[in-house]
Amino acid sequence: MRKTAAMTAILISTVLAVTGCTPSERPSDLPDGGANVSQSAPSSAAPATTTAATVSVPAGPPCAVDKVVVTGAAGQKPTVTIPADCAPPAELLTKDLIPGTGPAIKLGDELQMHYALYTWSTKSENQASFGSAPLETPLEKGALIDGWVEGLPGMKQGGRRLLVVPPAKGYKAAGKGNIKGNETLVFVVDAIKVGA
C-alpha cells in the first residue's frame, strides 16, 4: 500500500512538472535570460519545464503597433484583436492607449499593475490579472521579462499601455508552460500605482 501511494505521488509530481505554468503565474514569474524570480509569495507548484513546440512565423511585412486593436476602459479587462494580415514585429513596440496623469515609471520603481496577455499565434488571451489583486513587483531586470523592463519606463500612473513583445524580449525559443517557443506576446497593462 505504501509503495502504491509513493508511486502515485511521483506520478502527480511528474504531471505538474510537465504542465508548466499554473493559472496564478504572472509576468513577475517569467524568465529573463534563464532567471525565474517571483516577487509574489513562494509557490508550491513544480518549476516550469521547457516547451518543445515552437511558433511558425507567418510571411509578410511586420505589423505596425496601430494594427493591434484594443478596446475597453482603464481598470476594465481589455479585448485585444491581433491582425492576421501581417507578421509579428521583430522589435519591441509600445503605444500609450490611455495617458496617465501620475508619476512616470522608471527602472527600480515598485509597481502595482493589471495586465492581460495575448499570444500572437493563437490570437487569444492567455492570462490576465483583471478581477483579482494587481501584480506588485519592482521594475528591474531579472524580476520581469525584458519586454516589460524596456517597455514600461515613461508610462504614467493611471495610464494604459500596449506592449508587443518579440520572442527575444519574452520567453525566447524555450517558451514557458502552454506558451510555445518563439511566441510574440501582446500585453495590455494598466499602471495602478507607481512608487512605494
Side-chain angles (χ1 to χ4, degrees), residues 90-116:
E91 302 296 323
L92 174 66
L93 302 179
T94 67
K95 179 182 178 182
D96 283 323
L97 303 170
I98 300 171
T101 57
I105 296 173
K106 61 188 183 305
L107 287 176
D109 279 343
E110 289 291 329
L111 304 177
Q112 289 184 22
M113 309 289 286
H114 271 305
Y115 71 92

Side-chain angles (χ1 to χ4, degrees), residues 18-58:
V18 169
T19 58
C21 286
T22 66
S24 64
E25 283 189 311
R26 296 180 171 200
S28 62
D29 299 320
L30 304 183
D32 177 29
N36 187 9
V37 181
S38 174
Q39 299 303 314
S40 56
S43 172
S44 60
T49 58
T50 302
T51 304
T54 59
V55 171
S56 62
V57 179

Side-chain angles (χ1 to χ4, degrees), residues 122-191:
T122 66
K123 303 193 180 343
S124 62
E125 182 184 296
N126 185 273
Q127 56 180 272
S129 69
F130 292 89
S132 61
L135 168 69
E136 295 185 27
T137 183
L139 184 66
E140 57 188 35
K141 195 168 178 71
L144 296 166
I145 60 170
D146 288 346
W148 275 46
V149 173
E150 297 173 21
L152 291 181
M155 180 183 183
K156 292 185 176 181
Q157 181 173 301
R160 169 171 281 189
R161 182 172 283 185
L162 170 66
L163 302 174
V164 181
V165 180
K169 297 187 184 295
Y171 295 110
K172 303 180 176 33
K176 183 174 171 87
N178 66 349
I179 298 177
K180 296 177 181 178
N182 294 322
E183 180 67 81
T184 298
L185 310 173
V186 179
F187 286 97
V188 176
V189 293
D190 286 3

